[in-house]
Amino acid sequence: SPHPKAVPMKTTLTRLGVAALGSLLVATGLIVSAPSAEAASPCPGSRVARYQLYAGGEVADNFRHGQIEVWYSSAKGGTNCVLVYDNVSGKHKMTVEAGISGRASAGKDSGTYNYYAGPIKITNTDGKCISLYAEVINGGISYRRAMNKIHCG
């Protein structure tokens, strides 16, 4: 009967060494997996809306200076999540505030950031509307938007 193919000792040791090195890198945290698509936003669920900011009543350059994003997840009786993004490079003062319409704010985030302010997570929103306010200050100009009784459901 035919003999099984012999594997050279060097090949076996190399395979063991690669496996051990891989285990060591994973154990020490030196290998970092790529983030999933869901990890691209700090909000849970799916983006359900994107709104432009305004300066002096005019639409601000087709999202050039910033945008508001609203996300929704069915978790916790319905969760809406709100962010304001700055679409201009560098740090700018940003504010986002949101809550269930007619109730106290669920949260506010205000500071000087590179990319976005928030997230503001509002739970138990099923069957209710939300309200929000967002602002980005860039070059001394305030780009903002306030919305009331939106995303009712």
Side-chain angles (χ1 to χ4, degrees):
S1 83
H3 295 308
K5 184 175 179 183
V7 177
M9 180 62 95
K10 182 177 176 185
T11 302
T12 302
L13 290 176
T14 302
R15 286 182 187 155
L16 288 173
V18 168
L21 179 61
S23 297
L24 177 65
L25 290 174
V26 168
T28 59
L30 294 175
I31 291 181
V32 179
S33 62
S36 66
E38 292 82 21
S41 172
C43 285
S46 302
R47 186 174 71 183
V48 294
R50 187 173 148 225
Y51 300 103
Q52 296 186 75
L53 300 177
Y54 294 86
E58 300 292 323
V59 175
D61 297 335
N62 194 28
F63 296 97
R64 182 173 177 267
H65 289 94
Q67 67 189 25
I68 301 163
E69 285 190 359
V70 179
W71 291 67
Y72 176 79
S73 165
S74 60
K76 299 181 182 178
T79 299
N80 283 96
C81 184
V82 181
L83 302 156
V84 63
Y85 280 91
D86 174 9
N87 292 340
V88 178
S89 64
K91 290 184 175 185
H92 298 98
K93 182 161 176 43
M94 292 182 250
T95 300
V96 64
E97 185 170 10
I100 293 175
S101 295
R103 297 191 186 170
S105 171
K108 179 179 181 178
D109 184 21
S110 187
T112 303
Y113 303 112
N114 276 323
Y115 303 109
Y116 64 86
I120 304 300
K121 295 177 183 171
I122 314 156
T123 58
N124 296 308
T125 60
D126 284 350
K128 299 173 185 80
C129 302
I130 65 167
S131 297
L132 61 86
Y133 171 80
E135 177 181 37
V136 173
I137 298 175
N138 181 4
I141 299 172
S142 172
Y143 299 89
R144 62 183 174 258
R145 190 162 189 177
M147 302 174 81
N148 191 27
K149 296 183 180 177
I150 60 170
H151 298 283
C152 303

Short mmCIF file of all heavy atoms in Angstrom, two decimals, residues 83-147:
data_model
loop_
_atom_site.label_atom_id
_atom_site.label_comp_id
_atom_site.label_asym_id
_atom_site.label_seq_id
_atom_site.Cartn_x
_atom_site.Cartn_y
_atom_site.Cartn_z
N LEU A 83 -26.45 63.27 15.67
CA LEU A 83 -25.07 63.78 15.58
C LEU A 83 -25.07 65.02 14.71
O LEU A 83 -25.90 65.15 13.82
CB LEU A 83 -24.16 62.77 14.87
CG LEU A 83 -24.02 61.38 15.42
CD1 LEU A 83 -23.60 60.43 14.32
CD2 LEU A 83 -22.99 61.39 16.52
N VAL A 84 -24.11 65.92 14.92
CA VAL A 84 -23.87 66.99 13.96
C VAL A 84 -22.42 66.84 13.50
O VAL A 84 -21.51 66.69 14.32
CB VAL A 84 -24.15 68.41 14.52
CG1 VAL A 84 -23.25 68.77 15.68
CG2 VAL A 84 -24.03 69.45 13.41
N TYR A 85 -22.23 66.82 12.20
CA TYR A 85 -20.91 66.68 11.59
C TYR A 85 -20.44 68.02 11.05
O TYR A 85 -21.21 68.78 10.48
CB TYR A 85 -20.95 65.68 10.42
CG TYR A 85 -20.93 64.25 10.85
CD1 TYR A 85 -22.12 63.57 11.07
CD2 TYR A 85 -19.73 63.57 11.03
CE1 TYR A 85 -22.12 62.24 11.47
CE2 TYR A 85 -19.73 62.25 11.43
CZ TYR A 85 -20.92 61.60 11.64
OH TYR A 85 -20.91 60.28 12.03
N ASP A 86 -19.16 68.25 11.18
CA ASP A 86 -18.49 69.41 10.60
C ASP A 86 -17.81 68.90 9.33
O ASP A 86 -16.98 68.01 9.39
CB ASP A 86 -17.45 69.94 11.58
CG ASP A 86 -16.60 71.03 11.03
OD1 ASP A 86 -16.88 71.54 9.95
OD2 ASP A 86 -15.62 71.40 11.71
N ASN A 87 -18.16 69.43 8.18
CA ASN A 87 -17.59 68.95 6.92
C ASN A 87 -16.41 69.78 6.44
O ASN A 87 -15.97 69.63 5.31
CB ASN A 87 -18.68 68.93 5.84
CG ASN A 87 -19.73 67.88 6.14
OD1 ASN A 87 -19.51 66.95 6.90
ND2 ASN A 87 -20.90 68.03 5.56
N VAL A 88 -15.88 70.64 7.30
CA VAL A 88 -14.72 71.46 6.96
C VAL A 88 -13.57 71.02 7.85
O VAL A 88 -13.74 70.81 9.05
CB VAL A 88 -15.03 72.97 7.17
CG1 VAL A 88 -13.81 73.82 6.86
CG2 VAL A 88 -16.21 73.39 6.33
N SER A 89 -12.37 70.85 7.27
CA SER A 89 -11.25 70.35 8.06
C SER A 89 -10.87 71.31 9.19
O SER A 89 -11.09 72.51 9.10
CB SER A 89 -10.04 70.08 7.16
OG SER A 89 -9.60 71.29 6.59
N GLY A 90 -10.32 70.75 10.24
CA GLY A 90 -9.91 71.52 11.41
C GLY A 90 -10.95 71.44 12.51
O GLY A 90 -12.04 70.91 12.33
N LYS A 91 -10.57 71.94 13.67
CA LYS A 91 -11.47 71.94 14.82
C LYS A 91 -12.40 73.15 14.78
O LYS A 91 -11.97 74.25 14.45
CB LYS A 91 -10.67 71.97 16.12
CG LYS A 91 -9.92 70.70 16.41
CD LYS A 91 -9.25 70.77 17.77
CE LYS A 91 -8.61 69.44 18.12
NZ LYS A 91 -8.05 69.45 19.47
N HIS A 92 -13.67 72.88 15.12
CA HIS A 92 -14.67 73.95 15.18
C HIS A 92 -15.58 73.72 16.37
O HIS A 92 -15.75 72.59 16.82
CB HIS A 92 -15.50 73.97 13.88
CG HIS A 92 -14.68 74.25 12.68
ND1 HIS A 92 -14.22 73.26 11.85
CD2 HIS A 92 -14.19 75.40 12.18
CE1 HIS A 92 -13.50 73.81 10.88
NE2 HIS A 92 -13.47 75.11 11.06
N LYS A 93 -16.18 74.79 16.84
CA LYS A 93 -17.15 74.68 17.93
C LYS A 93 -18.43 74.09 17.37
O LYS A 93 -18.94 74.53 16.35
CB LYS A 93 -17.42 76.04 18.56
CG LYS A 93 -18.37 75.96 19.74
CD LYS A 93 -18.28 77.18 20.61
CE LYS A 93 -19.30 77.15 21.74
NZ LYS A 93 -19.47 75.92 22.43
N MET A 94 -18.93 73.06 18.05
CA MET A 94 -20.15 72.37 17.62
C MET A 94 -21.04 72.10 18.81
O MET A 94 -20.55 71.88 19.92
CB MET A 94 -19.80 71.04 16.95
CG MET A 94 -19.08 71.17 15.63
SD MET A 94 -18.79 69.54 14.92
CE MET A 94 -17.02 69.44 15.12
N THR A 95 -22.33 72.09 18.56
CA THR A 95 -23.32 71.78 19.59
C THR A 95 -24.41 70.92 18.97
O THR A 95 -24.84 71.17 17.84
CB THR A 95 -23.97 73.07 20.14
OG1 THR A 95 -22.96 73.89 20.71
CG2 THR A 95 -25.03 72.76 21.20
N VAL A 96 -24.87 69.92 19.71
CA VAL A 96 -26.04 69.14 19.32
C VAL A 96 -26.83 68.86 20.59
O VAL A 96 -26.26 68.57 21.64
CB VAL A 96 -25.68 67.85 18.56
CG1 VAL A 96 -24.89 66.88 19.40
CG2 VAL A 96 -26.92 67.18 17.99
N GLU A 97 -28.15 69.02 20.48
CA GLU A 97 -29.05 68.75 21.59
C GLU A 97 -30.30 68.11 21.02
O GLU A 97 -30.77 68.51 19.95
CB GLU A 97 -29.40 70.04 22.32
CG GLU A 97 -30.23 69.84 23.56
CD GLU A 97 -30.38 71.10 24.40
OE1 GLU A 97 -30.00 72.19 23.95
OE2 GLU A 97 -30.88 70.97 25.52
N ALA A 98 -30.86 67.12 21.73
CA ALA A 98 -32.04 66.43 21.21
C ALA A 98 -32.83 65.81 22.35
O ALA A 98 -32.30 65.57 23.44
CB ALA A 98 -31.63 65.36 20.21
N GLY A 99 -34.11 65.53 22.07
CA GLY A 99 -34.96 64.88 23.04
C GLY A 99 -36.32 64.58 22.44
O GLY A 99 -36.59 64.90 21.29
N ILE A 100 -37.18 63.96 23.25
CA ILE A 100 -38.55 63.71 22.83
C ILE A 100 -39.27 65.06 22.86
O ILE A 100 -39.15 65.81 23.83
CB ILE A 100 -39.23 62.67 23.74
CG1 ILE A 100 -38.55 61.31 23.53
CG2 ILE A 100 -40.72 62.60 23.48
CD1 ILE A 100 -39.04 60.21 24.46
N SER A 101 -40.01 65.38 21.80
CA SER A 101 -40.71 66.67 21.71
C SER A 101 -41.61 66.88 22.92
O SER A 101 -42.32 65.96 23.35
CB SER A 101 -41.56 66.72 20.44
OG SER A 101 -40.72 66.69 19.30
N GLY A 102 -41.57 68.09 23.48
CA GLY A 102 -42.40 68.44 24.62
C GLY A 102 -41.85 68.00 25.96
O GLY A 102 -42.48 68.23 26.99
N ARG A 103 -40.69 67.37 25.98
CA ARG A 103 -40.07 66.90 27.22
C ARG A 103 -38.69 67.55 27.36
O ARG A 103 -38.19 68.17 26.44
CB ARG A 103 -39.93 65.39 27.23
CG ARG A 103 -41.26 64.68 27.19
CD ARG A 103 -41.08 63.22 27.46
NE ARG A 103 -42.34 62.50 27.28
CZ ARG A 103 -42.43 61.19 27.26
NH1 ARG A 103 -41.35 60.46 27.42
NH2 ARG A 103 -43.60 60.62 27.09
N ALA A 104 -38.09 67.33 28.51
CA ALA A 104 -36.74 67.84 28.73
C ALA A 104 -35.77 67.19 27.75
O ALA A 104 -36.00 66.09 27.26
CB ALA A 104 -36.30 67.54 30.17
N SER A 105 -34.69 67.88 27.47
CA SER A 105 -33.65 67.38 26.57
C SER A 105 -33.11 66.05 27.08
O SER A 105 -32.92 65.86 28.28
CB SER A 105 -32.52 68.41 26.49
OG SER A 105 -31.42 67.88 25.80
N ALA A 106 -32.86 65.13 26.16
CA ALA A 106 -32.24 63.85 26.52
C ALA A 106 -30.73 64.01 26.67
O ALA A 106 -30.06 63.17 27.25
CB ALA A 106 -32.54 62.81 25.45
N GLY A 107 -30.19 65.10 26.14
CA GLY A 107 -28.76 65.33 26.26
C GLY A 107 -28.29 66.42 25.33
O GLY A 107 -28.96 66.80 24.38
N LYS A 108 -27.11 66.93 25.67
CA LYS A 108 -26.49 67.98 24.89
C LYS A 108 -24.99 67.74 24.88
O LYS A 108 -24.41 67.34 25.89
CB LYS A 108 -26.79 69.35 25.52
CG LYS A 108 -26.16 70.52 24.81
CD LYS A 108 -26.56 71.83 25.50
CE LYS A 108 -25.96 73.03 24.79
NZ LYS A 108 -26.38 74.29 25.42
N ASP A 109 -24.37 67.95 23.73
CA ASP A 109 -22.91 67.87 23.62
C ASP A 109 -22.44 69.14 22.93
O ASP A 109 -22.91 69.46 21.84
CB ASP A 109 -22.50 66.63 22.81
CG ASP A 109 -20.99 66.46 22.74
OD1 ASP A 109 -20.28 67.01 23.60
OD2 ASP A 109 -20.53 65.76 21.83
N SER A 110 -21.56 69.86 23.58
CA SER A 110 -21.04 71.11 23.03
C SER A 110 -19.55 71.18 23.32
O SER A 110 -19.12 70.93 24.44
CB SER A 110 -21.77 72.29 23.68
OG SER A 110 -21.40 73.49 23.05
N GLY A 111 -18.78 71.51 22.30
CA GLY A 111 -17.33 71.61 22.47
C GLY A 111 -16.66 71.91 21.16
O GLY A 111 -17.32 72.18 20.15
N THR A 112 -15.34 71.87 21.16
CA THR A 112 -14.56 72.09 19.95
C THR A 112 -14.02 70.74 19.50
O THR A 112 -13.27 70.09 20.23
CB THR A 112 -13.40 73.08 20.23
OG1 THR A 112 -13.97 74.29 20.73
CG2 THR A 112 -12.60 73.36 18.97
N TYR A 113 -14.47 70.32 18.31
CA TYR A 113 -14.17 68.97 17.83
C TYR A 113 -13.65 69.00 16.40
O TYR A 113 -13.91 69.94 15.65
CB TYR A 113 -15.43 68.10 17.86
CG TYR A 113 -16.07 68.00 19.22
CD1 TYR A 113 -17.31 68.58 19.45
CD2 TYR A 113 -15.45 67.33 20.26
CE1 TYR A 113 -17.93 68.49 20.69
CE2 TYR A 113 -16.04 67.24 21.51
CZ TYR A 113 -17.28 67.82 21.72
OH TYR A 113 -17.87 67.72 22.94
N ASN A 114 -12.98 67.91 16.00
CA ASN A 114 -12.50 67.76 14.63
C ASN A 114 -13.59 67.30 13.67
O ASN A 114 -13.60 67.70 12.51
CB ASN A 114 -11.37 66.73 14.56
CG ASN A 114 -10.03 67.32 14.89
OD1 ASN A 114 -9.75 68.45 14.52
ND2 ASN A 114 -9.21 66.57 15.62
N TYR A 115 -14.49 66.41 14.11
CA TYR A 115 -15.40 65.76 13.17
C TYR A 115 -16.87 65.91 13.51
O TYR A 115 -17.67 66.24 12.65
CB TYR A 115 -15.06 64.27 13.05
CG TYR A 115 -13.64 64.04 12.64
CD1 TYR A 115 -12.71 63.55 13.55
CD2 TYR A 115 -13.20 64.37 11.36
CE1 TYR A 115 -11.39 63.35 13.18
CE2 TYR A 115 -11.88 64.18 10.99
CZ TYR A 115 -10.98 63.67 11.90
OH TYR A 115 -9.68 63.50 11.55
N TYR A 116 -17.26 65.61 14.75
CA TYR A 116 -18.69 65.66 15.08
C TYR A 116 -18.91 65.89 16.57
O TYR A 116 -18.03 65.66 17.39
CB TYR A 116 -19.40 64.37 14.64
CG TYR A 116 -18.94 63.12 15.35
CD1 TYR A 116 -19.49 62.74 16.58
CD2 TYR A 116 -17.96 62.30 14.81
CE1 TYR A 116 -19.07 61.59 17.23
CE2 TYR A 116 -17.54 61.16 15.44
CZ TYR A 116 -18.10 60.80 16.66
OH TYR A 116 -17.68 59.67 17.30
N ALA A 117 -20.13 66.35 16.88
CA ALA A 117 -20.60 66.45 18.26
C ALA A 117 -21.73 65.44 18.42
O ALA A 117 -22.50 65.20 17.51
CB ALA A 117 -21.11 67.86 18.56
N GLY A 118 -21.82 64.87 19.59
CA GLY A 118 -22.79 63.82 19.88
C GLY A 118 -22.04 62.53 20.10
O GLY A 118 -20.83 62.53 20.26
N PRO A 119 -22.68 61.43 20.12
CA PRO A 119 -24.09 61.21 19.82
C PRO A 119 -24.99 61.52 21.01
O PRO A 119 -24.61 61.34 22.15
CB PRO A 119 -24.13 59.72 19.50
CG PRO A 119 -23.05 59.12 20.36
CD PRO A 119 -21.97 60.17 20.40
N ILE A 120 -26.21 61.96 20.71
CA ILE A 120 -27.25 62.10 21.71
C ILE A 120 -28.24 60.97 21.43
O ILE A 120 -28.85 60.92 20.36
CB ILE A 120 -27.96 63.47 21.61
CG1 ILE A 120 -26.96 64.62 21.71
CG2 ILE A 120 -29.06 63.57 22.67
CD1 ILE A 120 -26.15 64.67 22.99
N LYS A 121 -28.37 60.06 22.39
CA LYS A 121 -29.25 58.90 22.23
C LYS A 121 -30.54 59.14 23.02
O LYS A 121 -30.49 59.46 24.20
CB LYS A 121 -28.55 57.63 22.70
CG LYS A 121 -27.35 57.29 21.83
CD LYS A 121 -26.60 56.09 22.32
CE LYS A 121 -25.37 55.85 21.46
NZ LYS A 121 -24.49 54.83 22.01
N ILE A 122 -31.66 58.98 22.35
CA ILE A 122 -32.98 59.21 22.94
C ILE A 122 -33.72 57.87 22.90
O ILE A 122 -33.99 57.35 21.82
CB ILE A 122 -33.78 60.26 22.13
CG1 ILE A 122 -32.92 61.47 21.81
CG2 ILE A 122 -35.04 60.66 22.89
CD1 ILE A 122 -33.39 62.24 20.60
N THR A 123 -34.04 57.31 24.06
CA THR A 123 -34.71 56.01 24.11
C THR A 123 -36.21 56.17 24.30
O THR A 123 -36.69 57.26 24.62
CB THR A 123 -34.12 55.14 25.24
OG1 THR A 123 -34.27 55.84 26.48
CG2 THR A 123 -32.65 54.84 25.00
N ASN A 124 -36.93 55.07 24.08
CA ASN A 124 -38.40 55.04 24.20
C ASN A 124 -39.08 56.04 23.26
O ASN A 124 -39.99 56.75 23.66
CB ASN A 124 -38.85 55.26 25.65
CG ASN A 124 -38.36 54.15 26.56
OD1 ASN A 124 -38.58 52.98 26.26
ND2 ASN A 124 -37.69 54.51 27.63
N THR A 125 -38.61 56.09 22.02
CA THR A 125 -39.16 57.05 21.05
C THR A 125 -40.28 56.48 20.19
O THR A 125 -40.91 57.23 19.45
CB THR A 125 -38.06 57.60 20.13
OG1 THR A 125 -37.47 56.51 19.42
CG2 THR A 125 -37.00 58.36 20.91
N ASP A 126 -40.53 55.17 20.26
CA ASP A 126 -41.62 54.61 19.45
C ASP A 126 -42.93 55.29 19.82
O ASP A 126 -43.27 55.42 21.01
CB ASP A 126 -41.72 53.10 19.66
CG ASP A 126 -40.62 52.33 18.92
OD1 ASP A 126 -39.90 52.95 18.10
OD2 ASP A 126 -40.49 51.13 19.17
N GLY A 127 -43.67 55.79 18.83
CA GLY A 127 -44.93 56.46 19.05
C GLY A 127 -44.79 57.92 19.48
O GLY A 127 -45.77 58.57 19.82
N LYS A 128 -43.56 58.43 19.44
CA LYS A 128 -43.32 59.82 19.85
C LYS A 128 -42.52 60.55 18.77
O LYS A 128 -41.92 59.94 17.91
CB LYS A 128 -42.55 59.84 21.17
CG LYS A 128 -43.29 59.17 22.32
CD LYS A 128 -42.41 59.08 23.55
CE LYS A 128 -43.08 58.31 24.66
NZ LYS A 128 -42.99 56.86 24.48
N CYS A 129 -42.49 61.88 18.87
CA CYS A 129 -41.70 62.72 17.96
C CYS A 129 -40.44 63.17 18.71
O CYS A 129 -40.41 63.22 19.93
CB CYS A 129 -42.49 63.95 17.54
SG CYS A 129 -44.07 63.59 16.73
N ILE A 130 -39.42 63.55 17.94
CA ILE A 130 -38.22 64.12 18.56
C ILE A 130 -38.03 65.56 18.09
O ILE A 130 -38.59 65.99 17.08
CB ILE A 130 -36.95 63.29 18.27
CG1 ILE A 130 -36.59 63.31 16.78
CG2 ILE A 130 -37.10 61.88 18.81
CD1 ILE A 130 -35.19 62.76 16.48
N SER A 131 -37.26 66.29 18.86
CA SER A 131 -36.84 67.65 18.51
C SER A 131 -35.33 67.70 18.63
O SER A 131 -34.73 66.97 19.43
CB SER A 131 -37.47 68.66 19.46
OG SER A 131 -38.88 68.64 19.33
N LEU A 132 -34.71 68.59 17.85
CA LEU A 132 -33.26 68.69 17.91
C LEU A 132 -32.79 70.09 17.57
O LEU A 132 -33.50 70.88 16.95
CB LEU A 132 -32.60 67.66 16.98
CG LEU A 132 -32.88 67.75 15.48
CD1 LEU A 132 -31.93 68.70 14.78
CD2 LEU A 132 -32.77 66.37 14.88
N TYR A 133 -31.58 70.38 17.99
CA TYR A 133 -30.89 71.63 17.65
C TYR A 133 -29.44 71.27 17.39
O TYR A 133 -28.84 70.48 18.13
CB TYR A 133 -30.97 72.64 18.79
CG TYR A 133 -30.09 73.85 18.55
CD1 TYR A 133 -30.51 74.87 17.71
CD2 TYR A 133 -28.83 73.95 19.12
CE1 TYR A 133 -29.70 75.96 17.46
CE2 TYR A 133 -28.01 75.05 18.87
CZ TYR A 133 -28.46 76.05 18.04
OH TYR A 133 -27.65 77.13 17.78
N ALA A 134 -28.87 71.83 16.33
CA ALA A 134 -27.47 71.59 16.02
C ALA A 134 -26.84 72.86 15.47
O ALA A 134 -27.50 73.65 14.79
CB ALA A 134 -27.32 70.45 15.01
N GLU A 135 -25.55 73.02 15.75
CA GLU A 135 -24.82 74.21 15.29
C GLU A 135 -23.35 73.88 15.08
O GLU A 135 -22.76 73.14 15.86
CB GLU A 135 -24.96 75.32 16.33
CG GLU A 135 -24.20 76.59 16.00
CD GLU A 135 -24.34 77.66 17.07
OE1 GLU A 135 -24.37 77.31 18.28
OE2 GLU A 135 -24.42 78.83 16.70
N VAL A 136 -22.78 74.45 14.03
CA VAL A 136 -21.34 74.42 13.78
C VAL A 136 -20.91 75.86 13.52
O VAL A 136 -21.52 76.55 12.71
CB VAL A 136 -20.99 73.55 12.54
CG1 VAL A 136 -19.51 73.67 12.18
CG2 VAL A 136 -21.37 72.09 12.77
N ILE A 137 -19.88 76.31 14.22
CA ILE A 137 -19.36 77.66 14.00
C ILE A 137 -18.05 77.53 13.22
O ILE A 137 -17.12 76.87 13.67
CB ILE A 137 -19.15 78.42 15.32
CG1 ILE A 137 -20.50 78.58 16.02
CG2 ILE A 137 -18.49 79.78 15.07
CD1 ILE A 137 -20.43 79.19 17.40
N ASN A 138 -18.03 78.17 12.06
CA ASN A 138 -16.87 78.07 11.17
C ASN A 138 -16.59 79.46 10.59
O ASN A 138 -17.47 80.07 10.00
CB ASN A 138 -17.18 77.08 10.05
CG ASN A 138 -16.02 76.90 9.10
OD1 ASN A 138 -14.94 77.46 9.29
ND2 ASN A 138 -16.23 76.10 8.08
N GLY A 139 -15.38 79.95 10.79
CA GLY A 139 -15.01 81.27 10.27
C GLY A 139 -15.86 82.38 10.84
O GLY A 139 -16.15 83.36 10.15
N GLY A 140 -16.30 82.23 12.09
CA GLY A 140 -17.12 83.24 12.73
C GLY A 140 -18.58 83.21 12.32
O GLY A 140 -19.38 84.02 12.79
N ILE A 141 -18.97 82.29 11.46
CA ILE A 141 -20.35 82.17 11.00
C ILE A 141 -21.00 80.96 11.67
O ILE A 141 -20.41 79.87 11.72
CB ILE A 141 -20.43 82.03 9.47
CG1 ILE A 141 -19.83 83.27 8.81
CG2 ILE A 141 -21.87 81.82 9.01
CD1 ILE A 141 -19.68 83.16 7.31
N SER A 142 -22.20 81.14 12.17
CA SER A 142 -22.95 80.06 12.81
C SER A 142 -23.85 79.38 11.79
O SER A 142 -24.73 80.01 11.21
CB SER A 142 -23.79 80.65 13.96
OG SER A 142 -24.64 79.66 14.46
N TYR A 143 -23.61 78.11 11.56
CA TYR A 143 -24.45 77.28 10.69
C TYR A 143 -25.27 76.41 11.63
O TYR A 143 -24.71 75.64 12.41
CB TYR A 143 -23.60 76.42 9.76
CG TYR A 143 -22.74 77.25 8.84
CD1 TYR A 143 -21.46 77.64 9.21
CD2 TYR A 143 -23.23 77.65 7.60
CE1 TYR A 143 -20.68 78.42 8.37
CE2 TYR A 143 -22.45 78.42 6.74
CZ TYR A 143 -21.18 78.81 7.15
OH TYR A 143 -20.41 79.57 6.31
N ARG A 144 -26.61 76.53 11.59
CA ARG A 144 -27.41 75.84 12.59
C ARG A 144 -28.77 75.43 12.03
O ARG A 144 -29.17 75.87 10.96
CB ARG A 144 -27.58 76.70 13.83
CG ARG A 144 -28.30 78.00 13.56
CD ARG A 144 -28.38 78.85 14.82
NE ARG A 144 -28.94 80.14 14.51
CZ ARG A 144 -28.25 81.26 14.37
NH1 ARG A 144 -26.95 81.24 14.55
NH2 ARG A 144 -28.85 82.39 14.07
N ARG A 145 -29.45 74.63 12.86
CA ARG A 145 -30.80 74.23 12.49
C ARG A 145 -31.51 73.71 13.74
O ARG A 145 -30.92 72.95 14.51
CB ARG A 145 -30.77 73.15 11.43
CG ARG A 145 -32.14 72.85 10.85
CD ARG A 145 -31.99 72.12 9.54
NE ARG A 145 -33.27 71.99 8.85
CZ ARG A 145 -33.40 71.45 7.68
NH1 ARG A 145 -32.34 70.99 7.03
NH2 ARG A 145 -34.58 71.35 7.10
N ALA A 146 -32.74 74.13 13.91
CA ALA A 146 -33.59 73.61 14.98
C ALA A 146 -34.80 72.95 14.32
O ALA A 146 -35.36 73.51 13.36
CB ALA A 146 -34.04 74.73 15.90
N MET A 147 -35.18 71.78 14.80
CA MET A 147 -36.31 71.05 14.22
C MET A 147 -37.15 70.51 15.37
O MET A 147 -36.61 69.97 16.33
CB MET A 147 -35.81 69.93 13.31
CG MET A 147 -34.90 70.44 12.19
SD MET A 147 -34.17 69.13 11.23
CE MET A 147 -35.53 68.77 10.15
#
